[in-house]
Amino acid sequence: MFLTGSELGSLRPCGCSGGQLGGLEKRPAIFNQVVESRRFIVDTGVLIANDGEQDLIKLRIIFEALGLLRYDAVCLTEQDIAAANRLGLLADTQQGFAVLKDGDANAGVFTKPFPDLGVTVRLTVFDPRVSSMEQMASALGKGNDSPMIDIVVLRQCDDDLLREIAVQAPGVDCVVCPSDGDEPHLLSAPGVRPMAVTVGRLGRHICRLRVAISPQNGEPALQFERISVVEELPDDPVLVRLYKQY
């Protein structure tokens, strides 16, 4: 699984010096390390920094790029939603990825099964200001006997909330907390459930969660990895052309 977010309108490095990290056109070289049938790619939102005209142009490009990159789901903040509505982006059913919205008490759950792995991944957004812990736990209620990996995107994160999730929604495997730095971080101690991570900012790194199936009980376990989007990675020509349009 690959998790990104907090692009803040950053499409690629400025190029004013060598060794810079980031660039949408570099991501396929990372994503393609995993065959598509075993990939789960999510953006956790905060796509733009503001709502000016330049930000709107960037948002249109980012939406198109996420579709070209075959993202499975994108979690939009209230600012992302307002800007996307101004551009009519959410009316386009051909974007290719599911959209989960902040501020919606019925944000829903995105589900993707992986039959060859014998596991199903589920994703939701939880905002305690508009919905209850019980609603979130109920939405992720176990529906069948197959192993599940449940991921919850949070817009605020503290120790009390993590403890409450662990008690009231013990099936949650991973929570994604807001990023306060460019690099993804593992916030929880090894073996603690739910695993708490951040995904970084500005597209300079990608958070990867490897899934390992226990041979003892068949249950999935997550392993955190940070991948830097280095300039040595090859460019995807389609995304290069998209940036030139911008």
Side-chain angles (χ1 to χ4, degrees), residues 181-199:
D182 293 351
E183 295 186 5
H185 289 288
L186 175 62
L187 303 179
S188 53
V192 171
R193 186 171 178 175
M195 172 187 282
V197 302
T198 64
V199 300

Side-chain angles (χ1 to χ4, degrees), residues 10-27:
S10 179
L11 306 179
R12 61 159 36 170
C14 65
C16 56
S17 63
Q20 293 183 322
L21 301 176
L24 292 170
E25 72 278 5
K26 304 288 186 182
R27 292 186 189 182

Side-chain angles (χ1 to χ4, degrees), residues 2 6 18 28 64 76 78 181 193 201 210 212 224 229 231 233-235:
F2 298 102
S6 293
E64 187 170 349
L76 298 181
E78 292 184 357
R193 186 171 178 175
R201 299 184 303 190
R210 292 180 179 268
F224 170 85
V229 185
E231 64 180 357
L233 290 169
D235 292 339

Side-chain angles (χ1 to χ4, degrees), residues 164-179:
E164 189 177 358
I165 291 173
V167 172
Q168 297 197 39
V172 173
D173 299 280
C174 178
V175 295
V176 182
C177 298
S179 298

Side-chain angles (χ1 to χ4, degrees), residues 7 42 45-46 61 83 93 97 101 123 129 137 139 143 152 159 164 174 194 196 207 212 224:
E7 274 86 2
V42 174
V46 196
I61 294 294
T93 59
F97 49 80
K101 301 177 182 179
L123 173 78
R129 297 169 299 178
V152 178
D159 291 340
E164 189 177 358
C174 178
C207 174
F224 170 85

Side-chain angles (χ1 to χ4, degrees), residues 15-181:
C16 56
S17 63
Q20 293 183 322
L21 301 176
L24 292 170
E25 72 278 5
K26 304 288 186 182
R27 292 186 189 182
I30 295 173
F31 295 160
N32 290 339
Q33 294 173 14
V34 178
V35 297
E36 189 169 357
S37 63
R38 295 193 172 198
R39 271 196 320 245
F40 186 71
I41 310 177
V42 174
D43 195 280
T44 59
V46 196
L47 300 180
I48 51 177
N50 295 293
D51 58 358
E53 287 302 313
Q54 191 74 5
D55 298 285
L56 295 180
I57 295 171
K58 289 181 175 182
L59 182 62
R60 188 181 295 278
I61 294 294
I62 290 173
F63 253 66
E64 187 170 349
L66 297 179
L68 291 169
L69 286 162
R70 297 184 179 277
Y71 270 68
D72 292 290
V74 177
C75 306
L76 298 181
T77 66
E78 292 184 357
Q79 177 174 272
D80 293 334
I81 295 165
N85 281 328
R86 286 176 62 184
L87 297 171
L89 295 175
L90 297 183
D92 182 7
T93 59
Q94 304 301 314
Q95 58 205 10
F97 49 80
V99 173
L100 300 179
K101 301 177 182 179
D102 280 15
D104 183 354
N106 301 301
V109 177
F110 175 76
T111 301
K112 183 174 182 178
F114 292 86
D116 56 337
L117 295 176
V119 69
T120 296
V121 179
R122 299 189 297 191
L123 173 78
T124 193
V125 178
F126 174 53
D127 185 346
R129 297 169 299 178
V130 298
S131 59
S132 68
M133 187 72 66
E134 290 77 12
Q135 287 175 303
M136 185 267 286
S138 176
L140 292 174
K142 300 300 181 183
N144 53 54
D145 296 329
S146 65
M148 297 281 184
I149 298 175
D150 288 339
I151 301 173
V152 178
V153 175
L154 303 173
R155 295 304 178 202
Q156 60 184 39
C157 186
D158 56 46
D159 291 340
D160 290 340
L161 181 58
L162 293 179
R163 282 192 290 267
E164 189 177 358
I165 291 173
V167 172
Q168 297 197 39
V172 173
D173 299 280
C174 178
V175 295
V176 182
C177 298
S179 298
D180 58 4

